[in-house]
Amino acid sequence: MIVTVTMNPAIDKTVEIDALQPGGLNRIRKVEYDAGGKGINVSKTIRELGGESVATGFLGGNAGKTIENVLNEKGIRNDFIWVDGETRTNTKVFEVNGAVTELNEPGPVISEEKLEEFLSRLEGYADQDTLFILAGSIPSGVKKDVYADIIRRVHKKGAKVLLDADGEVFRISLEANPDIIKPNRVELEEYAGIDYRASTEELLELAHGLMERGIETVAVSMGRSGAMLIRPGYEVKCPALSVKAHSTVGAGDAMVAALAYSWDRQLDNDETVRLCMAASAGAVTTIGTKPPTREVVEELKKQVIIERIGA
Ligand SMILES: Nc1ncnc2c1ncn2[C@@H]1O[C@H](COP(=O)(O)OP(=O)(O)OP(=O)(O)O)[C@@H](O)[C@H]1O
Ligand SMILES: [Mg+2]
């Protein structure tokens, strides 16, 4: 079973206007709402791929209800902890000239009691057939080591963890040895204190360093330069697929979804890589974080070229 964790979900509100007039009246031409947050995006892509997951985290207020409704409509199981306050609505204002203005709400503050309730709920899902996806930002009131705490707790019950975080949270969480990680190139370079563009060899070396500590799979996404998948005895690199790009936001989340789906279905290494490349490229062809359809992913899989590197 796959459990996606979104501790700080959001309604993603997209607004289209001609030209933003600060301090004036702005008439909206088109508005769209979707449930967002990295873990939720991963659940949506898993659903499109034909898999199942349980989405969890914290929800509050009317915005929280809206997210729950969206997930139910999409047939995504969900089991959120309800908190006081209002789940965030993050607004992106698109102007005709291409400018994008973002207005992000802070989201609810999580109390210690609610956090403890959440952690025990997660432990309830943990067994050797469970993969937890820890992705995205951490809400106010919660310490940065919460992912590390979750990893240690669910590991005790034999569960696995896929981590997708950056900066300090990434660094602290790595100390608890997640099983699968998917940093993008910049996240990995920052972690290693490298302030230039690392070569494939250097990225491979960094991945080896992480694996020595107990991380089993390192997927390094490199945007339009493709990706690397590194596992014991299996080290490959794939050029990105050639697609018409609409929005690269969420491409990494689609790759995380493909990694999780592959783990759940016990797909072999080559098939895992094909799915990762196709799902992430498919996500680039859609608007915003909308997941690609299974048909699009199947078609794109034919384009994948797997190059062996290292071992
Ligand atoms: N322009 C592109 N064309 C084709 N594939 C792309 C392109 N950009 C990204 N991808 C695919 O998506 C994968 C993930 O992209 P990227 O490295 O940008 O992830 P990310 O930075 O974690 O993204 P996010 O966190 O916004 O979802 C890449 O490894 C690649 O397979
Ligand atoms: Mg990412």
Side-chain angles (χ1 to χ4, degrees):
M1 184 204 285
I2 303 166
V3 179
T4 64
V5 171
T6 313
M7 295 190 79
N8 204 7
I11 291 181
D12 288 331
K13 181 173 172 182
T14 312
V15 169
E16 284 179 24
I17 61 169
D18 290 331
L20 187 66
Q21 306 286 343
L25 174 68
N26 290 277
R27 294 210 187 272
I28 292 169
R29 283 201 285 130
K30 193 177 161 204
V31 57
E32 267 181 39
Y33 300 88
D34 201 358
K38 283 191 170 285
I40 288 175
N41 292 341
V42 171
S43 277
K44 289 196 285 194
T45 305
I46 290 172
R47 185 84 196 89
E48 280 297 332
L49 293 175
E52 275 187 37
S53 67
V54 181
T56 181
F58 300 102
L59 290 178
N62 288 325
K65 279 275 165 227
T66 303
I67 289 185
E68 190 181 54
N69 289 340
V70 169
L71 293 174
N72 287 337
E73 276 164 23
K74 290 184 198 281
I76 296 168
R77 275 179 66 191
N78 53 87
D79 185 16
F80 282 81
I81 300 282
W82 287 88
V83 294
D84 292 338
E86 188 78 15
T87 287
R88 304 181 292 164
T89 295
N90 291 340
T91 308
K92 278 195 176 67
V93 182
F94 286 85
E95 294 174 66
V96 173
N97 68 7
V100 184
T101 305
E102 296 190 55
L103 301 164
N104 285 3
E105 294 180 18
V109 178
I110 308 301
S111 67
E112 254 176 60
E113 296 75 53
K114 286 292 172 184
L115 180 64
E116 203 43 57
E117 189 184 337
F118 171 66
L119 294 172
S120 351
R121 179 98 41 116
L122 289 185
E123 282 176 310
Y125 281 106
D127 65 29
Q128 53 201 22
D129 297 321
T130 313
L131 175 68
F132 289 88
I133 314 292
L134 306 182
S137 63
I138 287 170
S140 317
V142 178
K143 290 209 202 93
K144 290 208 161 57
D145 65 358
V146 66
Y147 284 169
D149 188 10
I150 294 171
I151 295 168
R152 293 192 179 103
R153 285 180 189 230
V154 304
H155 268 174
K156 280 196 189 125
K157 303 203 159 187
K160 302 276 186 192
V161 178
L162 190 165
L163 170 78
D164 182 13
D166 64 0
E168 204 186 347
V169 175
F170 182 55
R171 188 177 53 74
I172 298 171
S173 310
L174 284 185
E175 285 167 22
N177 286 332
D179 303 274
I180 307 173
I181 57 172
K182 192 229 64 72
N184 65 29
R185 169 201 282 277
V186 175
E187 287 158 0
L188 196 54
E189 287 166 353
E190 271 175 14
Y191 169 73
I194 293 176
D195 60 358
Y196 57 89
R197 211 178 146 90
S199 65
T200 304
E201 291 70 34
E202 284 169 308
L203 293 173
L204 185 60
E205 215 170 290
L206 291 176
H208 284 157
L210 292 167
M211 287 163 75
E212 268 164 31
R213 310 172 31 154
I215 296 164
E216 194 209 310
T217 297
V218 181
V220 185
S221 66
M222 304 181 293
R224 66 177 62 196
S225 303
M228 291 162 59
L229 185 77
I230 302 136
R231 286 180 162 162
Y234 185 85
E235 304 187 338
V236 299
K237 185 181 172 196
C238 299
L241 309 189
S242 166
V243 289
K244 192 169 178 298
H246 262 292
S247 154
T248 58
V249 186
D253 302 341
M255 185 172 279
V256 168
L259 283 165
Y261 177 90
S262 303
W263 178 89
D264 198 44
R265 298 286 161 111
Q266 301 180 337
L267 302 185
D268 68 26
N269 289 328
D270 282 352
E271 197 48 27
T272 299
V273 172
R274 277 189 211 105
L275 192 64
C276 283
M277 296 312 296
S280 59
V284 170
T285 67
T286 66
I287 292 159
T289 57
K290 202 172 160 8
T293 63
R294 181 83 212 197
E295 293 75 56
V296 166
V297 173
E298 284 307 317
E299 200 48 42
L300 286 170
K301 267 161 74 177
K302 297 176 190 157
Q303 253 199 65
V304 178
I305 296 167
I306 304 176
E307 297 165 16
R308 297 225 160 224
I309 51 170

